[in-house]
Amino acid sequence: MISETTISYSYPTPSALIAGSEPRLLLAGYSEIAKHPAPAFFQGHLTQPYTTARCLIALSNVVRASFTLAPAQAGMMKDPIVTAGAEKLRFEGFSQCAGVYARVDVLPGGHSGTFPANGTVNVDFNQPMINALHAISSNDTMQLTVNAGEINLQSQPEESITEKKVPLPVKWIKGLTTVQLFLAASERVHTFNKIQLRQLFQGIPAGAVKADYYLTVRGNKPVFSPVKAPKAICVGGIHRLRLLEPLLPLADELQVFVHPDMQSTTWQLYFGHVRFSLSLSREAWRGFSGEGAALDALIADVPDQLIDAMDKYSHVNQEFNPTLLAVEEQAGFEQIDQLTARLAAMGLLGFDLDDNLYFYRRLPFKLNRIMSLNPRMKDAEQLLAEDKVAIISRQPDKVEARVAGSGVTHTVVIAGEDARCTCTWFAKHQGDRGPCKHILAVRKKIN
């Protein structure tokens, strides 16, 4: 079942937090594509249970936060996504407005266990689960099992915390197709120690902030300022960074990554073998799910057999090495680059900033649904199907086309990476929110 806002999921068992001498967390998951019950994805202990629990609580705070939606709309969105593979555990989620993306990475050394299989599950965190995570102390140990059915956590003998199923927001699926492309283009610009990051966060103004703020370094001290300075980093909706404040006393350092066009900023806290990432969209009112950054990547036609080869090559959730895949499949590097961009645009690849590579995410829903969630791409396909795109001139470095609209004909000019259109969408956004349907249709026709 699919609607414009949610996909309904049915969980085989409830998630649970079971107390005891060794707390166990059991996360229930659901998949539309698995034909048989999946084996456990991870079984073992977390070596930093207190820190990991606090990071998961912070992730839940992000998921429950909203900077644009009404409370009634916000209450629908609660699910983190858990990926186990390549000796790492990754917990992901978006704010309810989809303008903030957060991820908890439990790295090698942060756990002591095995990965019998690799996989991704959508899980349910409710208030009893959060309360149980709050009860984890620095002296506790926590045993973790991640599979398609459950998680297990104990704080007192024979005490069990169960959770109900919740719907999966379509907005999250669309956000996954955008935020990873922004992350892949981002670069690290600052690293701050414990003292510096606390100084920095003291400068966040109170209340919701509508004006842009800028991150600069004066001497050895990082500061936020409403005044733009040379080499300053623009942060829209700076009040959203307060989601990190509960973790600051535990963090060893903060690294800041910035998109070249400052369409996003990523703030990464480090806790030994655990890492917490928070990515902010350019403005608080603009969610990652509406950016349109993935649309260009969806234009190129990639053979199904190459996607299937990549699926087998990655072993579900391992790191994705485009060069090795190109050699094994005897494919050109340009085609592999198109494959990488397309898979990221479909939500199948996440991006690790520290390792500077993609990791594979087996989405627990049908892949053909991803394409249906991009209305501009569907509109572009319809324009082509109705033969409404006419190429007027085509030169090596420039293409001009006419695209028939509702009572008006639009002119599209593409010169290299630059593309312009006479439609009202382009006039309003100037390409900042991805290409319009007319540009998409022309690019697909000439490719």
Side-chain angles (χ1 to χ4, degrees):
M1 175 181 179
I2 182 169
S3 70
E4 292 183 356
T5 58
T6 60
I7 296 175
S8 295
Y9 277 58
S10 176
Y11 294 87
T13 59
S15 298
L17 179 60
I18 304 175
S21 58
E22 293 187 354
R24 296 185 298 159
L25 179 64
L26 299 178
L27 295 180
Y30 173 78
S31 173
E32 289 185 330
I33 57 176
K35 295 181 175 61
H36 305 287
F41 300 143
F42 173 80
Q43 295 175 324
H45 292 77
L46 301 181
T47 60
Q48 297 177 249
Y50 178 79
T51 297
T52 305
R54 267 58 200 169
C55 287
L56 292 177
I57 293 169
L59 175 64
S60 177
N61 290 339
V62 171
V63 171
R64 292 166 185 260
S66 174
F67 301 95
T68 60
L69 297 182
Q73 295 173 298
M76 291 294 294
M77 306 180 187
K78 301 178 182 178
D79 288 0
I81 298 170
V82 184
T83 296
E87 301 298 316
K88 300 180 180 71
L89 294 166
R90 305 183 192 268
F91 299 77
E92 302 174 271
F94 287 89
S95 63
Q96 295 158 354
C97 56
V100 181
Y101 165 77
R103 191 172 78 225
V104 178
D105 294 322
V106 181
L107 308 172
H111 58 78
S112 176
T114 60
F115 291 80
N118 301 301
T120 301
V121 295
N122 179 63
V123 297
D124 175 18
F125 275 12
N126 62 13
Q127 194 56 47
M129 176 69 75
I130 302 305
N131 293 341
L133 289 172
H134 274 291
I136 299 295
S137 70
S138 56
N139 295 324
D140 286 333
T141 59
M142 183 164 62
Q143 180 178 334
L144 178 69
T145 301
V146 179
N147 57 34
E150 59 183 7
I151 281 196
N152 191 325
L153 234 173
Q154 292 182 354
S155 56
Q156 295 178 8
E158 298 181 357
E159 180 181 349
S160 177
I161 307 297
T162 60
E163 300 177 343
K164 298 178 180 179
K165 65 179 182 181
V166 292
L168 177 69
V170 167
K171 184 173 284 191
W172 279 31
I173 304 173
K174 296 175 70 175
L176 289 174
T177 71
T178 299
V179 70
Q180 312 304 331
L181 298 177
F182 283 168
L183 288 174
S186 298
E187 295 183 358
R188 181 172 55 234
V189 293
H190 290 299
T191 299
F192 301 127
N193 59 31
K194 280 177 171 286
I195 297 176
Q196 289 174 314
L197 72 89
R198 292 185 185 183
Q199 291 174 335
L200 177 63
F201 276 74
Q202 289 173 357
I204 299 178
V209 182
K210 295 183 179 180
D212 289 337
Y213 266 67
Y214 298 88
L215 169 61
T216 60
V217 178
R218 298 171 183 171
N220 197 37
K221 182 179 179 181
V223 296
F224 288 121
S225 171
V227 180
K228 186 177 181 179
K231 298 183 180 181
I233 296 171
C234 182
V235 184
I238 193 175
H239 51 286
R240 296 177 290 174
L241 285 176
R242 292 199 193 95
L243 291 165
L244 292 176
E245 287 181 338
L247 298 177
L248 299 184
L250 302 175
D252 299 321
E253 68 176 22
L254 166 70
Q255 293 188 7
V256 183
F257 299 78
V258 182
H259 185 272
D261 297 329
M262 297 194 185
Q263 292 298 311
S264 69
T265 56
T266 299
W267 310 74
Q268 212 154 258
L269 294 174
Y270 296 80
F271 315 84
H273 299 292
V274 179
R275 186 173 61 205
F276 189 94
S277 305
L278 191 80
S279 297
L280 305 180
S281 60
R282 176 61 182 82
E283 289 96 2
W285 53 266
R286 183 190 298 182
F288 283 110
S289 63
E291 289 296 334
L295 293 174
D296 282 330
L298 293 175
I299 294 175
D301 291 325
V302 179
D304 290 341
Q305 62 268 26
L306 194 54
I307 294 179
D308 291 339
M310 184 273 175
D311 185 48
K312 297 175 182 177
Y313 163 82
S314 62
H315 302 293
V316 184
N317 288 294
Q318 304 301 306
E319 278 87 356
F320 176 55
N321 188 319
T323 302
L324 290 180
L325 181 61
V327 173
E328 290 187 12
E329 295 300 317
Q330 297 182 349
F333 288 107
E334 181 178 353
Q335 189 177 37
I336 294 297
D337 287 342
Q338 291 175 346
L339 170 66
T340 303
R342 188 175 181 85
L343 292 173
M346 294 170 67
L348 296 178
L349 298 180
F351 193 80
D352 190 309
L353 285 163
D354 284 350
D355 292 339
N356 194 35
L357 51 75
Y358 287 97
F359 64 89
Y360 190 69
R361 182 195 296 115
R362 169 60 65 90
L363 294 179
F365 39 78
K366 298 174 182 177
L367 297 185
N368 59 7
R369 182 168 292 160
I370 302 299
M371 299 295 290
S372 71
L373 298 176
N374 293 280
R376 269 181 276 166
M377 179 58 69
K378 290 194 296 182
D379 290 344
E381 296 280 4
Q382 184 174 353
L383 289 172
L384 291 169
E386 296 175 356
D387 198 24
K388 292 185 176 181
V389 180
I391 305 300
I392 303 302
S393 67
R394 183 166 186 171
Q395 304 171 14
D397 57 348
K398 185 177 181 180
V399 173
E400 183 175 345
R402 302 285 188 269
V403 182
S406 301
V408 63
T409 298
H410 303 289
T411 298
V412 173
V413 178
I414 299 177
E417 297 296 324
D418 183 47
R420 305 186 66 82
C421 181
T422 57
C423 70
T424 54
W425 170 271
F426 185 87
K428 181 178 180 180
H429 300 291
Q430 296 293 311
D432 285 343
R433 301 197 66 181
C436 65
K437 61 183 179 182
H438 311 106
I439 293 176
L440 287 170
V442 174
R443 281 182 170 164
K444 190 167 182 65
K445 188 177 181 69
I446 64 178
N447 282 343

